[in-house]
Amino acid sequence: MLEDIAGYLQIESWPLVPQMPFWGALALVAGALLGEGVRRAFGVPRIVGYSAVGLVIGLGGWGGGVLHGPARLVVDLALALLLFELGSRVRLRWLQANPALLATSALEAFASLAAIYLALRAFGQPVNVALACATLGTCASGAVIARVAGELKSAGQVTERMIVLTALNTLLAVLAHKLVIGWLHLDVGGDWVRAVSQPLWAFGGSVLLAALLSRLVAWVARRLDLRDENAALLLLGMIVLALTVAQLLNLSTLLVPLLAGVLLRNSTERPWVWPRHFGTAGGVLVLMLFVVVGSVVTLDALLVGGGLAVVLLLARGIAKTASVFAFARWSGIGLRQAAGLSLALTPLSGTVLVLLTDLQLTHPGFAPAVVPIVLSAIAFMELLGPLAVQAGLRLAGEHRPEPSWRAPQAEVAA
Amino acid sequence: MSLEKFSDSRPLTLGVELELQIVSTHDYDLTPAAADLLRLLGKRKLPGSIVPEITDSMIELSTGICEDHADALAQLTEIRDALVASADKLGVALSGGGTHPFQDWSQRRIFDKPRFKQISELYGYLSKQFTIFGQHVHVGCANADEALVLLHGLGRYIPHLIALSASSPFVQGTDTAFHSARLNSVFAFPLSGRAPFVLTWEDFGVFFAKMTRTGVVKSMKDFYWDIRPKPEFGTIEVRVLDTPLTIEKAAAMAGLIQCLARWLRVERPFQPAEDDYLPYTFNRFQACRFGLDALYVDPGSGEHRPLREDLQALLVRLEPHAADLRAEGALQFLRRELEGHGNDACWIRATQAREHLLNEVVRRQTLRWAGRGG
């Protein structure tokens, strides 16, 4: 009966099998609705809602456990935009003028590496697993801090420093990760030519491509006003183009936009301004990013790696907090701000997932030992991360509710 | 509350207050860092003082008592260098200018202090529009009556001071066509404008008692006049200057006001009168709108002439006093501006015409403030 009606109405594909665009659109609608819902109901950042949708997909068994195809593309594109913005806010002159900040950055990155490695070794993990987890766990989440800071319109020392520290520890984590991948070639396959040439190519090539991208953007920005929507689209297009070239040449899709941003910011003192997250187009990508990252998490991973993920997160959190506090006074922030900054460095998200995916592609035999731990860490932080950043910014007083204008009271009336 | 006693102070000593903008080095918009700067500076021994202002992207510095132009410049340099060093450490920058050219006032946060919270409750959006930056110059007076005579004598030269110091052509990203848009914001406040024409402290006390009886004012702080007496310092305070882009200009303006005060005190070139105020608002508007190209109506003769001419004549008249006060450098500095590129508002407009990006204009302002070119 129904088939007859479908035939009469010329609905070709019967029974109905929704394709990828349908599910993508549904995730977008659900994410946007839930994001707004959690913001209104609990006063938390919208990305908590986006991530929740992703986690439901993942833990419900509709996710993947591996990043590939269109999902990988969405993550790469969204991260490229966010990392480019993040990089473009790193002023090397500030690090020069405030050596304590540079020291904080170096200490928090290396302490995170060491702490995660030692903690996982203490819990009986093999050297290579501990090493891989350590490099993956070093970076904070550029996506989460950029998004939460944007949503809360926060401004001040904690906001600026979390951006700089995250950009720098992401740089370091990507570099360390390339070295670990090289080391695994040597350790597992005994292939030392590959061990040296791969990281060298990935790093050297990425630097060159990033330099080219930053030159191009600077050239365009001198001639067009980037605050203009069309110019912002052009900028977005150039970043996407650079990203696809990076994929073709097997370069780092994280390093290219991040370094391009840093080079752009430091090649000239002239300020660069463009719409935050490149306006609506970027906003859609960012929403999808959090949905996708959540959807990769599986129940199996949580059951296998949940415990070790807690160990990893604790070790990392302690290392980052201790490092921030160690130089807080010397670098010119108070203890409340140091506490806020430590909280803001806890999230773990898209960047780490991309690094994990690279590991899965280059070492499919070894990766399964690492995947459950890292995926579980991502799962825990998907919801807690944005809340931690929000709490940190509140603690530091960088996000204050506006006073409501009331009629003057008798004792106030001058 | 009755009017406090007018303290003694040495005639013609100076004090300079400057309200400054704290901007981010990312996009050069205002950024809340006043509390951080104050914390870092808390450890330094500096002349004068540094205090918060109504929103946390502003900070106010003041010198101690200055003998002359050179002393004011030396104190300002010392304070400026300390401020800039702290700002560098925080990754922020400081800028002069009477308004921030493109800040959105709805984004400002009120500094966490009861008095500021009260003001912001009372004035609503006006308090955020009060994110404007002025230079105040105090001149020491031997006694209260002399202070009032000097106050009304200086009233004639308010347009000259506005035109020279104007540095606020842009507001909320738009060219206002004014040289000093800042003073338009001040005008929105009740009790702004000019002080009542009384020449003795006794008469002023009568006026003050009437005002407090109405409950409209509680203290001298509630008057936002262009020039107001400051009894606890024993000074009068000139409040019409926009914060200049450099400390050199700030010191030069203080030097000029000192010369004016000495000239009025020693030569008594005219007797202040209520009628001096007839063209006052007209002259004030002309100076705000056209800067050094304003038209000036002479309150004494009623004659119309370009303000620039009147200023040049005034500078010649002040020369002997400048020699006595060792303020020749100050007058020279101002003469160079008068005959050269004009006031700071002209510089800001010219820079924007060249760069087409207000963020870049503010970046160059921060360089000028720090004494690093621009």
Side-chain angles (χ1 to χ4, degrees):
Chain A
M1 173 70 190
L2 277 177
E3 275 180 51
D4 295 339
I5 295 171
Y8 176 75
L9 295 173
Q10 292 184 320
I11 298 172
E12 298 286 324
S13 52
W14 192 265
L16 291 174
V17 184
Q19 298 298 303
M20 185 67 205
F22 172 83
W23 296 118
L26 194 64
L28 181 66
V29 170
L33 279 173
L34 194 62
E36 195 55 36
V38 295
R39 197 188 68 82
R40 288 191 189 186
F42 310 111
V44 300
R46 291 187 185 89
I47 58 175
V48 172
Y50 308 163
S51 301
V53 170
L55 285 173
V56 167
I57 296 171
L59 297 174
W62 300 291
V66 178
L67 203 54
H68 57 75
R72 167 84 206 232
L73 185 68
V74 164
V75 168
D76 274 340
L77 289 179
L79 276 180
L81 298 184
L82 290 168
L83 290 175
F84 180 77
E85 272 190 320
L86 201 69
S88 73
R89 294 192 61 155
V90 177
R91 247 175 95 246
L92 298 177
R93 264 172 195 265
W94 186 16
L95 298 173
Q96 199 184 350
N98 190 344
L101 184 61
L102 186 61
T104 307
S105 172
L107 183 64
E108 73 89 17
F110 287 108
S112 305
L113 266 172
I116 297 169
Y117 177 80
L118 293 173
L120 289 178
R121 290 290 289 144
F123 278 80
Q125 291 301 304
V127 171
N128 287 350
V129 173
L131 199 60
C133 287
T135 55
L136 290 165
T138 296
C139 56
S141 172
V144 174
I145 59 163
R147 205 60 197 173
V148 176
E151 209 173 296
L152 301 179
K153 293 202 172 93
S154 73
Q157 285 299 298
V158 171
T159 306
E160 291 302 326
R161 288 173 191 223
M162 75 183 183
I163 289 170
V164 170
L165 293 178
T166 300
L168 292 176
N169 67 28
T170 302
L171 272 179
L172 190 87
V174 175
L175 179 59
H177 180 70
K178 293 292 170 203
L179 292 175
V180 166
I181 283 184
W183 159 251
L184 289 172
H185 281 306
L186 192 62
D187 193 47
V188 180
D191 183 349
W192 74 267
V193 175
R194 258 182 116 175
V196 175
S197 62
Q198 274 211 347
L200 210 60
W201 166 243
F203 211 75
S206 300
V207 171
L208 285 176
L209 186 58
L212 188 69
L213 175 62
S214 81
R215 292 298 291 275
L216 269 175
V217 172
W219 187 85
V220 168
R222 288 212 178 285
R223 285 152 186 82
L224 298 170
D225 185 351
L226 292 179
R227 286 164 301 182
D228 175 67
E229 197 182 354
N230 188 56
L233 286 176
L234 179 62
L235 181 57
L236 190 133
M238 288 195 297
I239 294 169
V240 172
L241 199 62
L243 191 77
T244 49
V245 172
Q247 283 170 330
L248 285 174
L249 298 177
N250 195 22
L251 300 172
S252 167
T253 54
L254 297 169
L255 218 47
V256 169
L258 183 61
L259 271 179
V262 174
L263 290 171
L264 179 70
R265 182 69 186 81
N266 293 284
S267 59
T268 153
E269 282 293 311
R270 190 183 170 91
W272 307 99
V273 278
W274 56 78
R276 203 193 275 266
H277 308 334
F278 303 92
T280 316
V284 171
L285 282 171
V286 171
L287 187 157
M288 294 304 285
L289 164 74
F290 288 101
V291 173
V292 169
V293 171
S295 74
V296 175
V297 177
T298 59
L299 205 53
D300 294 346
L302 275 179
L303 294 172
V304 177
L308 286 170
V310 172
V311 171
L312 180 152
L313 290 171
L314 281 175
R316 180 176 175 271
I318 291 166
K320 288 193 185 301
T321 305
S323 309
V324 168
F325 273 89
F327 295 129
R329 278 290 150 98
W330 181 35
S331 73
I333 53 172
L335 295 179
R336 275 178 84 94
Q337 288 166 306
L341 183 55
S342 306
L343 277 170
L345 291 176
T346 51
L348 198 79
S349 184
T351 322
V352 108
L353 184 60
V354 170
L355 293 176
L356 183 68
T357 310
D358 287 348
L359 189 68
Q360 285 172 305
L361 291 173
T362 50
H363 297 284
F366 165 76
V370 176
V371 168
I373 305 173
V374 176
L375 276 190
S376 302
I378 292 173
F380 295 144
M381 274 297 147
E382 271 291 88
L383 300 181
L384 290 175
L387 298 179
V389 176
Q390 184 181 34
L393 292 171
R394 279 220 171 113
L395 184 66
E398 301 199 0
H399 152 57
R400 274 183 240 148
E402 285 299 299
S404 52
W405 307 120
R406 291 201 306 270
Q409 291 143 6
E411 76 271 11
V412 178
Chain B
M1 147 162 192
S2 68
L3 186 59
E4 60 203 291
K5 195 182 150 302
F6 195 90
S7 311
D8 296 334
S9 73
R10 260 183 328 115
L12 301 182
T13 46
L14 291 171
V16 179
E17 294 170 1
L18 290 168
E19 291 159 342
L20 287 180
Q21 314 183 15
I22 310 171
V23 296
S24 128
T25 47
H26 168 59
D27 57 2
Y28 291 89
D29 196 353
L30 289 174
T31 189
D36 299 300
L37 272 173
L38 289 165
R39 197 183 52 246
L40 289 190
L41 287 160
K43 308 161 194 163
R44 304 276 305 250
K45 280 294 303 148
L46 291 169
S49 68
I50 297 173
V51 295
E53 254 296 339
I54 187 156
T55 77
D56 51 15
S57 321
M58 308 168 77
I59 201 157
E60 183 181 335
L61 67 87
S62 32
T63 61
I65 297 171
C66 308
E67 293 299 320
D68 56 17
H69 169 240
D71 189 11
L73 185 57
Q75 289 195 30
L76 284 173
T77 306
E78 192 181 341
I79 301 168
R80 187 270 313 266
D81 290 349
L83 268 169
V84 168
S86 299
D88 282 345
K89 192 168 179 178
L90 295 168
V92 297
L94 298 158
S95 170
T99 53
H100 184 281
F102 63 88
Q103 62 116 5
D104 172 1
W105 63 261
S106 67
Q107 298 296 314
R108 303 282 68 90
R109 290 186 284 197
I110 302 295
F111 192 91
D112 204 356
K113 202 171 148 184
R115 178 177 155 80
F116 294 149
K117 296 278 181 217
Q118 273 185 357
I119 288 178
S120 98
E121 289 280 322
L122 173 65
Y123 288 115
Y125 87 105
L126 279 186
S127 58
K128 295 225 179 181
Q129 274 194 227
F130 227 45
T131 308
I132 48 177
F133 309 84
Q135 172 181 357
H136 301 167
V137 177
H138 289 264
V139 184
C141 302
N143 59 58
D145 291 5
E146 196 181 282
L148 289 170
V149 172
L150 177 61
L151 185 152
H152 292 293
L154 278 175
R156 284 194 181 199
Y157 298 97
I158 287 294
H160 306 64
L161 297 176
I162 290 173
L164 277 170
S165 74
S167 65
S168 51
F170 289 92
V171 172
Q172 315 259 320
T174 310
D175 191 330
T176 58
F178 279 74
H179 279 239
S180 173
R182 165 182 158 268
L183 284 170
N184 297 334
S185 295
V186 179
F187 258 174
F189 276 70
L191 307 171
S192 62
R194 66 173 186 96
F197 188 75
V198 289
L199 293 175
T200 66
W201 198 241
E202 201 179 329
D203 290 347
F204 190 82
V206 171
F207 162 83
F208 189 78
K210 283 184 196 164
M211 287 302 279
T212 44
R213 200 168 52 241
T214 61
V216 173
V217 295
K218 284 199 178 69
S219 75
M220 286 299 293
K221 263 199 171 137
D222 297 321
F223 294 114
Y224 290 95
W225 294 327
D226 293 344
I227 314 179
R228 73 180 174 193
K230 191 87 179 171
E232 68 263 40
F233 292 172
T235 62
I236 58 161
E237 179 188 15
V238 179
R239 301 157 44 83
V240 292
L241 313 174
D242 281 0
T243 297
L245 297 181
T246 57
I247 50 171
E248 288 75 14
K249 174 80 180 266
M253 290 305 295
L256 170 69
I257 289 171
Q258 191 185 29
C259 294
L260 264 171
R262 189 176 190 276
W263 172 62
L264 293 168
R265 194 167 177 258
V266 173
E267 293 191 26
R268 300 193 175 275
F270 58 89
Q271 190 57 38
E274 171 66 54
D275 281 1
D276 286 356
Y277 286 105
L278 292 174
Y280 187 80
T281 45
F282 174 88
N283 280 337
R284 199 173 178 281
F285 165 80
Q286 279 280 324
C288 287
R289 171 68 179 81
F290 299 106
L292 296 165
D293 297 324
L295 183 70
Y296 180 63
V297 180
D298 187 314
S301 63
E303 191 189 337
H304 288 210
R305 55 178 168 271
L307 182 66
R308 192 184 292 271
E309 270 176 33
D310 207 69
L311 246 170
Q312 277 157 338
L314 179 69
L315 289 178
V316 172
R317 238 172 297 153
L318 294 178
E319 265 166 17
H321 300 278
D324 216 82
L325 294 164
R326 289 181 305 172
E328 298 100 328
L331 297 199
Q332 239 163 30
F333 183 100
L334 297 172
R335 196 174 283 119
R336 264 202 310 275
E337 274 203 359
L338 199 59
E339 289 155 9
H341 66 70
N343 60 19
D344 283 342
C346 295
W347 182 91
I348 292 171
R349 279 204 174 99
T351 308
Q352 169 63 2
R354 202 177 55 242
E355 300 293 344
H356 306 292
L357 188 66
L358 285 171
N359 314 63
E360 173 66 4
V361 174
V362 178
R363 186 183 75 84
R364 289 175 183 270
Q365 286 179 188
T366 64
L367 292 178
R368 291 195 67 190
W369 176 258
R372 296 171 181 164

